[in-house]
């Protein structure tokens, strides 16, 4: 659908609906990889999951367990039953919508504000208010690397090929971290190599490439 056709579609089908989800402001929303469920995280310390049925969202479950606000969440890249939440209570939690339960809780060093799941499903990256990004092994539920940045980290994300990691910062720049490992390098060594100064490229917002 072209941009013009899309604009016309919204003009002729202009409808909005509100779906009660939380008792306080909502900080984050994300769709599952199969597009069937929408999850939301809130200041009320909970996450909610809605099931998409035809033209409406039906609330399935409200997930409780965090001791502070749920500031961001994301789904597993290929498993539509798993999502992870980042909270100000210094933990992340992995949830299973099939069992409607928390599979694991991982304690981190700071109040978490952003999170993303690697495209291969093996690593979860979580950033906190102190600008520390921790990389957590999904199988062992243990941190395998962490990095303290000297700038304000606002958002984090992998590319689809899983070989670059992006951070937006408070200086108007995007930092791109290479994650290409050599044959004799294990995961821990790989991430140590990522954060070497020779491996980091800064693209400032003033450049035409952004």
């Amino acid at each position: 659908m072209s941009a013009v056709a899309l604009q016309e579609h919204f003009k002729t089908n202009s409808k909005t609906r509100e779906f009660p989800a939380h008792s306080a402001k909502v900080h984050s929303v994300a769709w599952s990889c199969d597009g069937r469920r929408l999850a939301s995280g809130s200041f009320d310390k909970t996450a909610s999951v809605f099931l998409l049925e035809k033209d409406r969202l039906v609330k399935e479950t409200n997930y409780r367990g965090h001791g502070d606000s749920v500031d961001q969440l994301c789904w597993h890249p290929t498993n539509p039953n798993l999502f992870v939440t980042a909270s100000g209570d210094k933990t992340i939690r992995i949830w299973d919508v099939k069992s409607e339960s928390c599979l694991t809780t991982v304690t981190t060093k700071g109040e978490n504000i952003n999170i993303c799941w690697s495209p291969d499903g093996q690593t979860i990256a979580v950033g906190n208010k102190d600008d520390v990004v921790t990389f957590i092994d999904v199988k062992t539920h243990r941190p395998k690397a962490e990095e303290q940045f000297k700038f304000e980290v606002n958002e984090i994300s992998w590319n689809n090929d899983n070989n670059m990691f992006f951070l937006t910062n408070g200086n108007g720049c995007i930092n791109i971290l290479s994650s290409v490992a050599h044959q004799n390098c294990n995961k821990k060594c790989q991430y140590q190599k990522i954060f070497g100064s020779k491996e980091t490229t800064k693209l400032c917002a003033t450049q035409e490439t952004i």
Side-chain angles (χ1 to χ4, degrees):
M1 183 179 291
S2 68
V4 175
L6 192 60
Q7 289 174 353
E8 187 61 31
H9 173 80
F10 282 111
K11 284 181 181 179
T12 56
N13 297 274
S14 177
K15 295 181 180 180
T16 60
R17 293 184 181 182
E18 292 187 357
F19 296 92
H22 299 276
S23 61
K25 60 183 178 180
V26 178
H27 286 169
S28 179
V29 292
W31 285 100
S32 60
C33 61
D34 61 0
R36 296 187 64 242
R37 288 181 170 87
L38 180 73
S40 59
S42 171
F43 187 74
D44 68 5
K45 307 177 186 179
T46 72
S48 292
V49 172
F50 293 82
L51 182 66
L52 181 62
E53 292 185 355
K54 294 184 179 179
D55 63 344
R56 67 189 62 198
L57 289 170
V58 178
K59 190 172 182 178
E60 280 192 326
T61 310
N62 198 39
Y63 294 85
R64 301 180 182 276
H66 279 298
D68 206 334
S69 62
V70 177
D71 288 316
Q72 197 168 64
L73 52 78
C74 65
W75 292 83
H76 188 284
T78 57
N79 186 339
N81 296 316
L82 300 180
F83 72 97
V84 61
T85 50
S87 172
D89 66 2
K90 299 183 180 181
T91 70
I92 70 167
R93 287 174 176 255
I94 300 176
W95 308 87
D96 182 1
V97 298
K98 270 193 171 181
S99 62
E100 298 184 345
S101 64
C102 177
L103 297 181
T104 188
T105 301
V106 180
T107 301
T108 59
K109 292 184 177 180
E111 298 177 43
N112 302 310
I113 56 175
N114 42 44
I115 195 165
C116 62
W117 213 314
S118 65
D120 62 8
Q122 297 181 12
T123 307
I124 293 171
V126 56
N128 67 31
K129 288 184 177 180
D130 297 320
D131 304 313
V132 175
V133 177
T134 303
F135 293 84
I136 297 169
D137 188 296
V138 174
K139 290 184 178 179
T140 64
H141 305 144
R142 294 180 178 179
K144 56 184 177 182
E146 89 177 10
E147 180 71 11
Q148 170 73 66
F149 290 94
K150 296 181 180 179
F151 51 76
E152 175 185 313
V153 177
N154 293 322
E155 286 291 337
I156 55 177
S157 180
W158 270 276
N159 68 334
N160 289 338
D161 292 330
N162 206 71
N163 60 8
M164 287 190 291
F165 189 76
F166 296 77
L167 305 95
T168 62
N169 67 41
N171 301 321
C173 295
I174 297 173
N175 288 67
I176 305 174
L177 311 178
S178 170
S179 57
V180 178
H182 53 76
Q183 291 182 352
N184 297 322
C185 192
N186 60 27
K187 288 288 183 180
K188 185 175 181 181
C189 176
Q190 177 184 344
Y191 279 110
Q192 290 174 343
K193 183 181 179 184
I194 289 174
F195 297 115
S197 58
K198 294 181 180 179
E199 296 290 332
T200 303
T201 303
K202 291 177 68 177
L203 299 180
C204 293
T206 55
Q207 295 182 359
E208 295 181 359
T209 52
I210 296 300

